[in-house]
Amino acid sequence: MLGALFKPKWQHKDAKVRLQALSSLEANSAELLGLAQNDPDEAVRLAAIARLIDIPLLIKFGKQSGKVAEIARARVVALAHNTYGQDRLFAEVFDWLKDQADLMRALVENKKRDSYIRRLALAQIDDSQLLFRIASTEDSSARELQIEAATRLQDLELLRQLEKHYGHNNKRLRQLVKDRTAQEQAREQARQALESLCADLEKLGSTGQWAQDRTRHKVLLESWRKQATAENPAISPDLSERFAKADKTFTERLQVYEAEQAVEAPRLAIFEQCLKDGLALQKQLEQGEQLLSSEQIDQQIEALQERWVKAETIKGELQARLNQRWLEQFMYLTEARDALAKQMAGLDQLHQCLQRAEVMRQSEKPVQSAKVTELQADWVKIKRPQGLQQAIQQLEIRFQQAMSSLNARLQKQIAQRDQTIASLKAELAQMEADLEAEQYGEAIDLHRKLSQLLQDHTDLPARELNEMKGRLKAATPLILELKDWRRWGTDQAREHLIETAQWLENDESLDPQVRAREIKALREEWRKLAHMEPGQQRKQWKVFDSKVNAAYEVSKQHFAEQANEREAHLKAREAICAELENLYVQTDWQAAKWQDITQAINRLRKAWKECGTVGHKEWKPINDRFNAAMDALDGQLNQERERNFQLRQGLANTALALSEQADVQDAVEKAKQLRSRWQISVPSRPKDEQRIWKQFQSSLDKVFERLRESRQAQRSEQDERIARKNAICAELEALQTLEGEAFSAAYAQVDEQRKAFQAIRDIPKSVHIKLEERFQRAELALRERANHVRWQRKLAELDQLAQDSEQRKQALHDDQVALVAQQKAGENLCLQLELLLNLPTPEAFRQARMTYQVEHLSEAMRSRSAAQDREQNALKLLKDWYRLNAMPSDALTSQQERIVAVRKALAGA
């Protein structure tokens, strides 16, 4: 209770008292640190934080949130002005400082501050004079800072001053000035280019050439878009505003002009069309493309003039320019008309001669050679006019065509005449030969035929014609006598045909088709006899015809039944055609189901083939209808067949390219996509289908074969990498059997083996995990053994130090003051070792331990050392203890017990 009365004020239970007591605490005291971290009152904690000078702790507070973080950050900013030795910590939280302009200037100008934080602060400076001063006053030890300051200078003149004074021994500064000068020149050129674009845009619309200006406007906009980018340092708000203003002005003027043109466009179109028609007529007259009379030409010119006069005029100077153009065009037309009229007179004779040739060509009368020769001579004599070359050329072509046709007809006539004479003479010779061979029937027929032919061919040469008539006349008496004998023979033959017809009428066993053919043969024989002897057959004909008709009744009924069947077949074929036509009309060919359509067409084609016969007259129309329907469908099918084949040919070509692509995995993915896209809508010829499929499939096979080879190679490489990792693990495991210096030398290579092990990648994850575990087990075992060896050595060193210390202590004289000092130093070392290793302290020294902990609270909070660091520090403290001189024996005994406990703890670790 009395202890509570004498507590310091900073431990008072009243927060206000603690708050007032803060001013009495040192800024780096453990008490202030404790209050900043643990005081239950927020105001006290904030006030304590505001007085702290422990930068690491303040940074820790500043990374939190709320008022604590704000106060801590403000305190860090305040301390950054005059706190040295902590610049690396300040650099970690530079974002807290960079908004303080005065602090940035102070950091940059203070050469005692760390160069790293000075460079960070320099990046926040825009003052040209300060940058110039830093760049010109820094010594060679801060060359990087000097270069960075020069780099941030935007004033080229200041940079040149730097280069003039310091560039002789600073290559980087000279290069910087050179680069900046080049940049400035490029910026100036870019600015001039942009100003030129602005000036050109401002001039648009001033010349009245709106079509050219419209195109130029687009070019300028595209040029501005390419040059006026964010990366272009020459672009400025003034230039952008100037260009935008010029663009807006021209656009408005262009819109006004286009609006006016839209109103005047229909009227202008009339005048332009009239000028265009006049120019076309002028070219027609000049080139003589179409021969017109003077009246026709005058009518067309007057029609153009009337259209021009009646058209509604246009406002402004444009109408005057149009009128001037029309006046010039009208004059050209008049001149062309007059010139053409002179030339037309020279074409009349050519026309007349051509008309004679064409009349002779169109006549059906035989062509006379003399007249053809006369016509050709007249054409050559006619003098050609100088103009109208095209019209003359056309007349020449027409005349040559007519003459070619006449000459061809003449040659054909000569050939036919010679052939006719030869044919007639051959038949005369054959007639005479038949008479000699007593083949009187053939001779009689040839005599009648030759008589008629000689009467028809009056155009034959007279000498040849008279000769052939004389030979025919010489054979006439014998022919007349033979005709009388043949007439009696034909009557007997007709009686025989009547008997055969009677037999056909009575024989009911004959097949209707056979009966019909026999009746047809009988009628044919009767016609031949009638042709041989036309007279004396009427009575026999009536009997023959009645018999034949009676015999044909059976076949007639059979043919009627066949006609009914053909009618049914015709209806079936019409239904097939209708279905084909409906299929074509009702199909949406943009989204056609080609497989269904193909199946339907094949079904209907098969049904067509299976249909029976139809009548001869009906066959051609229905067959044409079927072919037309099939042609229409085949047209669509052929288009799809061609499109689909070309598509698949493209896929085959793409597959061929994939087979040679370097990236195998990408090629495989694309090959899978190609295979999914291979669809046959309408098949082509089997030969073509086999060829393209073989090409496509072989290319894909090559891709997948390359994939298999690549995977095999990858597996081989993986196996090799796994083998190397296994070898490294085996080497580590083999190191455990080494002893002494050999083990130490081998263990020094463990880190290199770890790097080599980790450098081997791209193996299966499961194998990698197992090998990683094997390597870690081997490495852990080696490290444990290495630690054991290392600690054994260190403990051996401690033993040697202990022996040396014992000998030294015995050798020293008994100096009481020195003994007490050594005792105190030893107790202090023991206490530090126990705190460091978290070992219990003897009862007699616990108060000293508590006092030491309070005094070194700040240091303990900053210390976050790892276990290995604590062990190293403990070894250092142990060596310091063994280096102590003599001390009282009872103190030595007590400390030695504590040192033994420390060594056991270290050995256990």
Side-chain angles (χ1 to χ4, degrees):
M1 189 170 179
L2 291 175
L5 294 176
F6 295 100
K7 281 185 178 180
K9 291 184 178 181
W10 57 270
Q11 292 182 343
H12 199 278
K13 63 180 181 179
D14 190 349
K16 294 181 180 180
V17 175
R18 295 199 305 274
L19 188 61
Q20 293 175 357
L22 290 179
S23 59
S24 62
L25 297 177
E26 295 293 335
N28 60 347
S29 64
E31 293 82 359
L32 188 63
L33 290 173
L35 291 173
Q37 297 179 85
N38 304 317
D39 196 276
D41 187 78
E42 183 181 15
V44 175
R45 291 199 306 275
L46 294 177
I49 292 172
R51 295 194 67 244
L52 284 177
I53 61 173
D54 190 327
I55 303 300
L57 187 58
L58 287 170
I59 291 176
K60 177 182 177 182
F61 287 142
K63 292 180 179 179
Q64 297 176 7
S65 59
K67 292 184 178 180
V68 171
E70 294 177 3
I71 298 298
R73 293 175 186 175
R75 183 60 175 164
V76 170
V77 172
L79 293 174
H81 282 275
N82 300 312
T83 301
Y84 300 96
Q86 302 288 340
D87 286 346
R88 287 291 173 174
L89 294 175
F90 288 135
E92 293 180 6
V93 292
F94 189 75
D95 288 341
W96 302 355
L97 314 177
K98 65 182 182 181
D99 294 335
Q100 306 295 319
D102 293 340
L103 176 59
M104 295 299 102
R105 294 178 64 90
L107 290 175
V108 170
E109 293 180 316
N110 193 341
K111 296 183 179 181
K112 296 181 180 179
R113 304 306 290 257
D114 186 80
S115 62
Y116 178 72
I117 199 166
R118 291 184 70 194
R119 290 169 63 185
L120 291 177
L122 184 66
Q124 310 299 320
I125 299 298
D126 295 326
D127 188 347
S128 298
Q129 295 301 323
L130 177 58
L131 292 172
F132 178 78
R133 190 163 61 251
I134 296 298
S136 59
T137 58
E138 290 294 331
D139 52 22
S140 58
S141 61
R143 182 62 56 83
E144 292 295 333
L145 189 68
Q146 183 186 33
I147 292 299
E148 288 191 20
T151 303
R152 288 187 54 77
L153 270 176
Q154 300 300 320
D155 191 334
L156 185 59
E157 186 60 33
L158 292 178
L159 272 176
R160 288 172 177 165
Q161 292 181 22
L162 282 177
E163 194 266 342
K164 180 179 179 181
H165 291 89
Y166 305 102
H168 60 279
N169 59 355
N170 193 330
K171 182 178 179 180
R172 293 176 63 185
L173 183 59
R174 293 198 303 273
Q175 185 62 39
L176 176 62
V177 174
K178 181 179 178 181
D179 294 342
R180 190 63 63 81
T181 302
Q183 292 175 4
E184 188 64 26
Q185 292 175 352
R187 185 184 295 108
E188 179 62 22
Q189 292 176 357
R191 185 187 62 77
Q192 292 178 0
L194 293 175
E195 287 183 348
S196 177
L197 291 177
C198 292
D200 291 344
L201 185 57
E202 290 167 347
K203 294 177 182 178
L204 293 183
S206 59
T207 61
Q209 298 178 349
W210 291 100
Q212 294 87 335
D213 288 350
R214 185 186 293 109
T215 304
R216 180 62 178 163
H217 177 244
K218 295 179 181 179
V219 174
L220 292 175
L221 288 179
E222 181 63 18
S223 300
W224 180 271
R225 184 187 65 79
K226 292 181 178 178
Q227 296 185 34
T229 59
E231 293 78 10
N232 191 343
I235 187 64
S236 65
D238 293 340
L239 282 176
S240 298
E241 183 178 358
R242 178 184 174 187
F243 188 86
K245 182 179 179 181
D247 180 35
K248 181 179 179 181
T249 301
F250 173 74
T251 302
E252 291 175 350
R253 294 180 62 191
L254 179 62
Q255 289 174 352
V256 172
Y257 168 75
E258 289 177 344
E260 294 176 353
Q261 289 298 108
V263 175
E264 300 290 345
R267 306 173 188 172
L268 179 61
I270 296 175
F271 291 111
E272 292 291 346
Q273 186 62 40
C274 195
L275 288 169
K276 183 178 179 181
D277 294 343
L279 181 60
L281 179 58
Q282 175 190 342
K283 291 181 178 179
Q284 179 181 345
L285 297 178
E286 292 174 348
Q287 298 175 3
E289 296 177 354
Q290 183 179 358
L291 299 180
L292 301 174
S293 63
S294 298
E295 293 77 10
Q296 291 174 328
I297 298 173
D298 290 338
Q299 288 176 2
Q300 292 191 24
I301 295 176
E302 290 175 1
L304 290 173
Q305 178 67 21
E306 186 176 359
R307 283 168 56 191
W308 187 274
V309 172
K310 289 183 178 180
E312 187 176 357
T313 58
I314 300 175
K315 298 179 181 178
E317 298 179 356
L318 180 59
Q319 184 63 52
R321 293 197 295 270
L322 289 171
N323 290 337
Q324 182 63 31
R325 288 173 60 190
W326 171 248
L327 180 60
E328 294 174 356
Q329 184 64 62
F330 186 80
M331 292 175 63
Y332 291 147
L333 285 172
T334 305
E335 294 173 357
R337 179 198 59 188
D338 297 340
L340 182 62
K342 294 179 182 179
Q343 298 294 332
M344 288 292 292
L347 292 180
D348 291 341
Q349 292 181 345
L350 291 174
H351 272 293
Q352 293 173 6
C353 189
L354 175 62
Q355 288 176 358
R356 288 167 55 197
E358 290 181 343
V359 167
M360 188 182 297
R361 177 185 181 184
Q362 295 172 0
S363 176
E364 297 180 357
K365 296 180 180 180
V367 180
Q368 297 180 10
S369 176
K371 291 186 177 180
V372 172
T373 304
E374 180 185 359
L375 187 63
Q376 181 67 45
D378 292 343
W379 180 266
V380 173
K381 293 178 183 178
I382 298 174
K383 184 178 180 179
R384 273 63 170 171
Q386 296 297 323
L388 302 176
Q389 294 299 320
Q390 186 173 359
I392 295 173
Q393 184 178 4
Q394 292 177 356
L395 293 176
E396 291 280 2
I397 293 173
R398 290 173 59 188
F399 182 79
Q400 293 301 328
Q401 290 174 349
M403 293 302 296
S404 297
S405 177
L406 290 173
N407 288 323
R409 285 177 59 187
L410 184 60
Q411 295 297 325
K412 186 176 181 181
Q413 285 178 195
I414 294 173
Q416 288 177 349
R417 184 189 66 187
D418 294 342
Q419 184 179 2
T420 301
I421 292 173
S423 176
L424 290 173
K425 287 183 177 181
E427 290 185 347
L428 274 170
Q430 181 65 40
M431 180 193 72
E432 293 168 349
D434 289 341
L435 290 174
E436 290 290 335
E438 296 183 356
Q439 296 179 358
Y440 301 125
E442 290 80 355
I444 293 171
D445 292 339
L446 285 174
H447 185 275
R448 183 175 63 253
K449 177 181 178 182
L450 287 169
S451 299
Q452 185 63 42
L453 289 174
L454 290 176
Q455 291 178 4
D456 294 338
H457 290 288
T458 57
D459 56 336
L460 297 178
R463 184 176 63 83
E464 300 287 347
L465 186 61
N466 292 332
E467 178 189 353
M468 288 185 290
K469 285 183 178 181
R471 293 171 63 184
L472 188 64
K473 184 178 181 181
T476 299
L478 180 58
I479 292 299
L480 292 175
E481 182 179 355
L482 291 174
K483 283 184 177 180
D484 292 338
W485 282 102
R486 192 172 68 173
R487 186 179 298 112
W488 178 83
T490 54
D491 290 342
Q492 296 298 318
R494 289 190 182 97
E495 289 296 332
H496 176 70
L497 292 178
I498 292 172
E499 292 175 1
T500 304
Q502 181 67 40
W503 172 75
L504 289 176
E505 180 184 0
N506 297 330
D507 190 356
E508 298 180 356
S509 62
L510 282 178
D511 181 76
Q513 293 284 356
V514 176
R515 184 189 301 274
R517 285 196 296 270
E518 292 291 339
I519 292 173
K520 183 177 180 181
L522 289 176
R523 288 186 180 278
E524 185 65 28
E525 289 294 330
W526 188 277
R527 278 194 295 271
K528 290 181 180 179
L529 293 174
H531 181 68
M532 294 172 60
E533 290 295 335
Q536 303 298 327
Q537 62 167 332
R538 181 172 299 175
K539 181 178 179 181
Q540 290 176 313
W541 163 251
K542 291 182 178 180
V543 176
F544 174 77
D545 186 57
S546 63
K547 298 296 183 182
V548 169
N549 288 335
Y552 187 70
E553 285 299 325
V554 178
S555 297
K556 184 177 181 181
Q557 183 178 0
H558 171 74
F559 292 146
E561 295 175 355
Q562 286 188 331
N564 293 333
E565 292 179 358
R566 287 193 294 270
E567 183 65 25
H569 297 160
L570 178 61
K571 291 182 179 179
R573 291 182 184 275
E574 289 176 344
I576 292 173
C577 293
E579 188 171 353
L580 288 172
E581 292 163 350
N582 290 335
L583 178 62
Y584 179 83
V585 173
Q586 296 176 2
T587 299
D588 181 4
W589 295 107
Q590 300 299 322
K593 298 180 179 179
W594 297 106
Q595 187 174 4
D596 296 344
I597 294 172
T598 304
Q599 291 177 355
I601 292 175
N602 292 336
R603 173 179 58 79
L604 293 173
R605 183 183 284 113
K606 181 179 179 182
W608 177 267
K609 292 180 180 179
E610 293 175 353
C611 280
T613 59
V614 299
H616 179 73
K617 294 182 179 179
E618 291 81 6
W619 168 249
K620 187 177 186 306
I622 192 62
N623 189 55
D624 291 344
R625 180 182 177 187
F626 175 79
N627 290 334
M630 290 299 297
D631 289 343
L633 292 170
D634 285 340
Q636 296 292 339
L637 291 176
N638 289 335
Q639 290 181 10
E640 174 59 21
R641 181 181 293 109
E642 180 66 21
R643 185 202 67 79
N644 182 252
F645 189 83
Q646 292 299 328
L647 174 62
R648 289 184 286 126
Q649 184 65 57
L651 296 179
N653 294 336
T654 304
L656 181 60
L658 288 179
S659 65
E660 300 175 358
Q661 182 173 316
D663 189 346
V664 178
Q665 194 62 41
D666 182 61
V668 170
E669 293 300 324
K670 292 180 179 178
K672 293 178 181 178
Q673 296 175 6
L674 288 181
R675 179 171 287 174
S676 64
R677 291 170 57 192
W678 185 274
Q679 301 291 336
I680 302 177
S681 58
V682 180
S684 299
R685 294 185 304 173
K687 181 179 179 181
D688 294 336
E689 288 293 342
Q690 292 175 3
R691 175 183 59 80
I692 191 173
W693 172 252
K694 183 178 180 181
Q695 177 186 352
F696 178 73
Q697 188 60 36
S698 62
S699 299
L700 293 189
D701 290 342
K702 290 180 182 179
V703 173
F704 290 109
E705 180 63 27
R706 289 179 58 201
L707 177 63
R708 286 190 291 272
E709 292 175 356
S710 175
R711 287 180 176 175
Q712 183 62 35
Q714 289 178 358
R715 283 194 292 270
S716 299
E717 293 176 359
Q718 283 184 358
D719 294 342
E720 183 180 352
R721 289 192 289 270
I722 292 171
R724 291 205 304 269
K725 284 206 167 192
N726 275 318
I728 294 174
C729 293
E731 290 177 4
L732 283 185
E733 293 167 349
L735 293 181
Q736 300 179 18
T737 60
L738 300 178
E739 299 291 345
E741 294 300 329
F743 174 80
S744 299
Y747 180 74
Q749 304 298 323
V750 170
D751 289 339
E752 294 297 329
Q753 289 177 314
R754 158 59 75 177
K755 293 179 181 178
F757 183 85
Q758 292 177 343
I760 301 173
R761 303 179 181 275
D762 298 332
I763 62 174
K765 185 175 181 181
S766 59
V767 178
H768 170 74
I769 293 173
K770 292 181 180 179
L771 290 175
E772 184 68 26
E773 291 176 353
R774 180 183 177 187
F775 184 89
Q776 289 178 358
R777 286 195 301 270
E779 184 181 31
L780 180 60
L782 287 174
R783 292 194 185 280
E784 290 178 350
R785 186 176 176 199
N787 288 335
H788 177 73
V789 171
R790 185 176 65 253
W791 281 111
Q792 291 298 325
R793 290 177 180 175
K794 293 184 180 297
L795 292 177
E797 292 177 3
L798 291 178
D799 291 340
Q800 184 62 41
L801 286 174
Q803 293 178 6
D804 295 343
S805 176
E806 184 66 25
Q807 293 174 1
R808 190 172 57 254
K809 288 179 176 62
Q810 292 178 359
L812 291 176
H813 62 83
D814 191 14
D815 186 344
Q816 188 63 33
V817 176
L819 292 176
V820 172
Q822 292 298 311
Q823 176 183 352
K824 187 169 183 63
E827 291 175 352
N828 190 30
L829 290 171
C830 290
L831 186 61
Q832 292 181 53
L833 284 168
E834 289 165 348
L835 286 171
L836 186 62
L837 299 177
N838 198 22
L839 296 175
T841 302
E843 184 67 29
F845 299 99
R846 289 182 180 175
Q847 183 62 39
R849 176 171 177 163
M850 184 178 300
T851 302
Y852 182 86
Q853 283 179 311
V854 172
E855 291 175 353
H856 297 80
L857 179 62
S858 175
E859 181 180 353
M861 291 179 61
R862 289 195 301 269
S863 177
R864 296 292 186 268
S865 300
Q868 186 174 358
D869 295 336
R870 291 199 300 271
E871 293 166 2
Q872 295 295 334
N873 291 334
L875 286 173
K876 180 178 179 300
L877 293 174
L878 270 176
K879 291 179 181 180
D880 291 343
W881 187 87
Y882 282 118
R883 292 190 183 98
L884 293 175
N885 292 323
M887 65 179 67
S889 57
D890 54 347
L892 178 60
T893 301
S894 173
Q895 291 182 21
Q896 284 178 339
E897 293 177 355
R898 298 167 68 180
I899 292 299
V900 169
V902 168
R903 291 187 58 173
K904 289 181 179 180
L906 286 174

